[in-house]
Every structure is written in C-alpha cells, then in structure tokens.
Amino acid sequence: MSKYKWTREDWPIACAMIPFAPTLPDGSLVQDAPAEVWADALAQVAEEGFTELDPTDSWMRVADLEKSRLDEFKAVVKEAGLTIPAMSTSRKCVIDPETGDQMLAYCHRFLDTAADLGAKEVAFGFFGPFTEAQTKELWFWLAEGYKNPDDPDTWKLGVDRIRELADHAKEVGISIAMEMYEDTYIGTPESAVRFVTDVDRDNVGICADIGNLVRLHRPMPKWDVMLAEVAPFMKYWHIKNYIRDEDPATGTYMSAPVPIEFGIINYREAIRMALAEGFASPILLESYGGDGLSVCGKNLQTLRRILPRA
C-alpha cells in the first residue's frame, strides 16, 4: 500500500483550458456557445490522455452559467469521461480598487459551482487584468503588469476577504490555494507564507506556481530555494516549465515555455520535495504558446512516470 494519498496511476492531474480561446471565430463567447462547442474542446482534452479537467475561467466562466446550461456542461464533462477535482480562477482579484467587490461575489459563486461539480480545491489569486502593454507583447510577462499596493490596509482587506472565502469554502468541503504570481501579495515565497499565515485557516494554502516566477526577465532566486520555503503550505499545484538564461555581465534575461522535462525547474526533484512535506492535492498542467494542449499531454506522460509508484 502506498504511503501517499495517490500513486502515479491515479493522482488527479487536470488539464487547464488556457490553450483554448474564450471567443469563437465570429467573436461570440464560448460562454454562450452551444454545448457541442464545449464537447469538441473536452474531446480534445480527453484525446491527450486526460481523465481530469480544470474548466479554467479564462476559457469559460462556469460559475456564471444558468442552471440549465450548467447541467449541459456537466453532461458534456461526463460524456468526455472527465472529472473535475479542482478549479482555478484567473485575474479575478478580490482587492482590486474598482472591481474587488464584484470579484468577491464572483468567487463566492465560484465556490458553490466548484462544489456542485465535485471539486475539492480551488485556486484564487491577486493578479489582475492584463495591462495594455502586456497585450502587445509576444509573451505577456515581458511587460509590466498588475501590482498589489504596498499598503497595510489593502493587505488586511486581502486577508479578511480570503478568510471570508475560506469560511464559505469549508462549509462546502473545499480548500483554497493562493496562486503565486509576481508583484502580488503571493508574489514571493516570503510574502506568500506570511499571507496564508495571516489568513490562519487550515483550508488555505499556497498554489506553488513557481513557473510564473522563473519566466520573469529579472533577478530571481533559484527554483528549489523558492519551492522549499512554500512546500509545507502547498495545496492545488499549477505546473508548467520554462527555459531560462541569465547573463550577469549585461543583466539580460531570456525565457520561453517548454515541456516540463526540459525546463529550468526539475520537477522530478520538485515532486519529491513537495511529497516530503505532505503534499496531497490535485495537480494542474498549463502551457502557453503554440500547441499548448499537446504540451500538456506530453507533460501528463512525464508526471505519470515520475510520481510515486504504487
């Protein structure tokens, strides 16, 4: 019998829907499309070998579907042979000075929808919409993005609102993972640990998406140093990888997405580090650029090979 919650054969590894656009060629939203459009996307996910799905809300806001349409979505997920162990929000910042109240209400709906779909964990974050400069770059992380203010009152607001969501989440049997993302309160290991410690809820931890950090064109601690600090707090884990090069003589940096076995983060070792600290949550695979879905499928094969044996 394995000493872990799951083994390489049955560890829940979900595919993110970020390789799929939120709009159709005619400009209409996937949100409003017939269920057949959803079914086509999910069939492609299943064809890559996935049995789990995260209906990432950058693709479609399932939390905003009417009941009849949510029932259609459930049927499509079942028909594709998929389950939903966890769900992620993207750029839904509950402390945004303009839209924070709206985002907080959305996140409460998101929790109820996640529970309805059978998910046991969700990922929230404090990163906001793309800036205009980011939309013009080949890779959005090359331009300056949304930042959380260095302000004790806003920090406290964030703590209070995540506590509120955590208490709701506990009522419906869900844990929350706060996603690591640059220039937010979860933007460094030290700040992430401090934040979830301030929240002080046993169902709140860290989504250790250090891929978001190693891709940045700025000085960055080594991946294993960052992961070691947050590993005791890890919950739902977003996994992706990048090549990274640095030239200290000129201060230049380079990064680009790659399959997880080829990048700067050694996920064979990262998984061992996480498991040593008791990690026992679903995993999400993401990839940007090109055929991201095929890359996620390749990454699924890699994880099935390096997760613990039965």
Side-chain angles (χ1 to χ4, degrees):
M1 183 176 181
S2 172
K3 67 179 180 179
Y4 303 111
K5 187 173 182 179
W6 300 291
T7 67
R8 60 176 56 167
E9 288 84 10
D10 61 358
W11 205 289
I13 304 173
C15 182
M17 294 304 287
I18 59 176
F20 295 90
T23 56
L24 300 177
D26 64 2
S28 62
L29 294 176
V30 171
Q31 187 88 8
D32 302 324
E36 292 77 13
V37 172
W38 307 342
D40 176 67
L42 299 196
Q44 293 178 59
V45 169
E47 286 167 357
E48 287 295 331
F50 285 95
T51 54
E52 288 85 29
L53 166 77
D54 180 337
T56 323
D57 69 2
S58 57
W59 173 61
M60 184 172 75
R61 302 182 316 276
V62 294
D64 285 342
L65 293 175
E66 295 181 359
K67 185 181 183 307
S68 61
R69 298 236 67 198
L70 184 61
D71 288 341
E72 286 185 85
F73 181 72
K74 290 179 186 177
V76 166
V77 172
K78 184 176 181 180
E79 179 65 24
L82 299 166
T83 61
I84 300 175
M87 290 171 48
S88 301
T89 61
S90 178
R91 306 187 183 280
K92 306 297 190 294
C93 180
V94 300
I95 55 172
D96 185 280
E98 296 182 5
T99 63
D101 292 348
Q102 176 186 341
M103 293 299 101
L104 179 62
Y106 170 82
C107 287
H108 278 293
R109 296 197 303 276
F110 191 88
L111 286 169
D112 287 332
T113 305
D116 190 15
L117 291 171
K120 297 299 182 186
E121 301 200 25
V122 302
F124 292 146
F126 287 142
F127 50 110
F130 287 127
T131 63
E132 184 178 355
Q134 286 181 305
T135 65
K136 296 177 180 178
E137 295 288 348
L138 172 63
W139 305 117
F140 60 82
W141 54 87
L142 299 182
E144 189 170 307
Y146 187 94
K147 289 180 170 61
N148 293 160
D150 183 12
D151 171 52
D153 289 339
T154 308
W155 176 282
K156 183 179 184 302
L157 178 64
V159 169
D160 290 344
R161 290 193 161 181
I162 297 304
R163 280 180 181 165
E164 177 184 326
L165 290 168
D167 292 343
H168 178 181
K170 193 159 192 175
E171 291 174 1
V172 294
I174 285 178
S175 292
I176 292 172
M178 297 301 299
E179 182 173 350
M180 298 188 75
Y181 200 95
E182 75 268 15
D183 302 323
T184 72
Y185 296 149
I186 321 296
T188 66
E190 298 80 8
S191 184
V193 169
R194 179 188 161 211
F195 185 85
V196 299
T197 302
D198 282 0
V199 170
D200 193 25
R201 294 292 188 269
D202 59 8
N203 64 331
V204 176
I206 295 171
C207 172
D209 192 346
I210 55 176
N212 287 339
L213 304 180
V214 302
R215 70 190 179 193
L216 299 175
H217 288 201
R218 64 176 76 167
M220 192 60 53
K222 293 187 182 302
W223 73 264
D224 53 338
V225 173
M226 292 192 287
L227 190 68
E229 191 160 349
V230 300
F233 303 89
M234 285 174 61
K235 292 191 182 294
Y236 188 29
W237 191 3
H238 292 185
I239 282 181
K240 54 183 174 283
N241 215 346
Y242 296 82
I243 54 171
R244 177 180 172 89
D245 195 20
E246 305 176 4
D247 183 356
T250 61
T252 57
Y253 302 86
M254 183 277 291
S255 66
V258 291
I260 60 172
E261 61 189 300
F262 301 133
I264 190 73
I265 303 168
N266 178 349
Y267 275 105
R268 186 182 296 271
E269 182 59 27
I271 285 170
R272 292 172 185 267
M273 292 170 64
L275 292 175
E277 294 290 348
F279 174 71
S281 291
I283 291 170
L284 177 69
L285 291 176
E286 301 178 308
S287 185
Y288 288 100
D291 184 359
L293 181 58
S294 288
V295 175
C296 287
K298 181 176 181 60
N299 290 343
L300 175 65
Q301 297 174 19
T302 301
L303 281 187
R304 293 289 181 212
R305 193 171 69 244
I306 64 178
L307 280 163
R309 297 181 182 87

